[in-house]
């Protein structure tokens, strides 16, 4: 199991899917097809529980092989696959502009983040995704005033449905937000935007405030503190005090 803790999640996905295909091939030779698919899907689910770091993976694995087998039974028009592609674009399409994909902070990051935010401050998650960070903090840190900004429509809508009403949940580009209104700003974005967001941080954040980046460094600017997350991607929280 140790080797899997250092593996990227996409590789674990590939390993489980490949193992599922092999298992299906074997089971299908002596079991009823439906039973074979069910056993394989449940096995993939269990492997995902132990090997992946996010709960969503187990549901993906549970559904993946049954869906592949199911859709192979029909003569489905390629237009449906095109529609799915368009829908995916609606969810992740902004990545072409922002160059920041949607992925979520893991439990280790959330725990360390909650430990690092000063008491009673105005907190902002820039590029807040589905609001996972804010949901965690709303439960773990009742002393904070929480805000999040997300420009992709579907993740924002998902957050809108799930976040407590006390969270300010903004549907816009974080570049239009005045960072001076916040004491602590958290960013889990991508290496390509770090120089730009640092310019915004330096020009807008007030003295004494705190900027935290999950994993991505600001080129040429050493953080004041680094908190190792000890996860599969060697993640860390990088803290800069203004
Ligand atoms: C890696 S996800 C992080 C989600 C969340 N902060 C977390 O840690 O779980 C980054 C998110 O930032 C959003 N994003 C990227 N550029 C943005 C911008 N300029 N304004 C608002 N949201 C942005 C993306 O759509 C994506 O959902």
């Amino acid at each position: 199991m140790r080797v899997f803790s250092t593996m990227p999640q996409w590789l674990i996905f590939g390993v489980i899917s490949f193992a599922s295909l092999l298992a299906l091939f074997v089971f299908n030779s002596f079991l009823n097809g439906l039973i074979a698919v069910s056993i394989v899907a449940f096995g993939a689910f269990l492997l995902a529980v132990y090997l992946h770091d996010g709960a969503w993976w187990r549901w993906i694995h549970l559904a993946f092989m049954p869906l592949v087998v199911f859709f192979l039974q029909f003569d489905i028009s390629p237009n449906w696959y095109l529609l799915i592609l368009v829908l995916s674009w609606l969810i992740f399409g902004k990545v072409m502009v922002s160059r920041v994909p949607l992925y979520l902070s893991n439990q280790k990051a959330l725990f360390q983040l909650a430990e690092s935010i000063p008491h009673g401050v105005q907190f902002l998650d820039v590029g807040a995704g589905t609001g996972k960070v804010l949901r965690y903090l709303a439960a773990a840190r009742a002393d904070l005033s929480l805000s999040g900004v997300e420009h992709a429509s579907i993740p924002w809508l998902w957050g809108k449905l799930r976040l407590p009403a006390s969270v300010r949940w903004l549907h816009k580009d974080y570049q239009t937000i005045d960072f001076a209104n916040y004491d602590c700003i958290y960013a889990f974005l991508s290496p390509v935007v770090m120089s730009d967001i640092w310019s915004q941080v330096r020009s807008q954040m007030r003295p004494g405030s705190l900027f935290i980046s999950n994993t991505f460094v600001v080129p040429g600017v050493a953080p004041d503190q680094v908190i190792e997350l000890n996860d599969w991607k060697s993640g860390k929280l990088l803290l800069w005090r203004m």
Side-chain angles (χ1 to χ4, degrees), residues 16 33 49 63 68 75 82 105 107 120 174 197 200 203 206 212:
I16 297 178
V49 169
V68 169
D75 184 21
L82 182 64
S105 295
Q107 284 303 115
Y174 68 72
I197 197 170
Q200 192 175 352
S203 66
R206 285 176 279 112
I212 303 175

Side-chain angles (χ1 to χ4, degrees), residues 35-231:
I35 294 174
V37 173
S38 306
I39 291 174
V40 167
F42 188 60
F45 175 88
L46 288 181
L47 278 175
V49 169
Y50 284 106
L51 301 181
H52 276 298
D53 77 345
W56 65 89
W57 289 106
R58 63 191 69 162
W59 305 112
I60 291 173
H61 281 291
L62 187 66
F64 185 64
M65 206 47 74
L67 282 177
V68 169
V69 173
F70 178 74
F71 284 114
L72 282 177
Q73 312 296 312
F74 306 103
D75 184 21
I76 294 176
S77 156
N79 291 338
W80 285 106
Y81 297 107
L82 182 64
L83 180 69
I84 291 168
L85 192 68
V86 170
L87 272 178
S88 306
W89 181 82
L90 279 177
I91 298 170
F92 302 107
K94 292 251 182 176
V95 79
M96 302 298 287
V97 182
S98 67
R99 293 174 298 163
V100 181
L102 172 63
Y103 38 77
L104 304 177
S105 295
N106 62 27
Q107 284 303 115
K108 290 183 177 175
L110 296 179
F111 177 78
Q112 291 296 344
L113 179 65
E115 296 282 299
S116 309
I117 304 170
H119 184 81
V121 300
Q122 294 278 349
F123 173 91
L124 174 69
D125 182 3
V126 288
T130 57
K132 178 180 179 183
V133 171
L134 297 165
R135 257 166 62 88
Y136 182 90
L137 291 176
R141 292 287 308 268
D143 57 299
L144 301 174
S145 295
L146 299 170
S147 303
V149 55
E150 170 57 51
H151 68 175
S153 300
I154 292 184
W156 176 84
L157 194 61
W158 182 251
K160 181 80 187 156
L161 296 173
R162 300 183 77 216
L163 282 167
S166 57
V167 174
R168 266 188 89 221
W169 186 232
L170 308 167
H171 186 208
K172 51 169 81 171
D173 189 320
Y174 68 72
Q175 289 165 313
T176 66
I177 299 272
D178 187 354
F179 286 2
N181 295 325
Y182 302 93
D183 310 296
C184 180
I185 293 182
Y186 173 71
F188 186 26
L189 296 168
S190 102
V192 285
V193 298
M194 291 313 290
S195 290
D196 284 349
I197 197 170
W198 181 248
S199 302
Q200 192 175 352
V201 163
R202 290 300 292 160
S203 66
Q204 295 179 347
M205 287 188 81
R206 285 176 279 112
S209 57
L210 182 64
F211 176 63
I212 303 175
S213 168
N214 185 337
T215 302
F216 303 119
V217 299
V218 176
V221 188
D224 297 304
Q225 190 184 349
V226 176
I227 300 170
E228 297 290 341
L229 299 178
N230 299 315
D231 57 10

Side-chain angles (χ1 to χ4, degrees), residues 4 7 10-20 47 51 61:
F4 287 101
M7 252 190 201
W10 61 264
L11 193 53
I12 296 176
F13 178 83
V15 169
I16 297 178
S17 301
F18 185 66
S20 301
L47 278 175
L51 301 181
H61 281 291

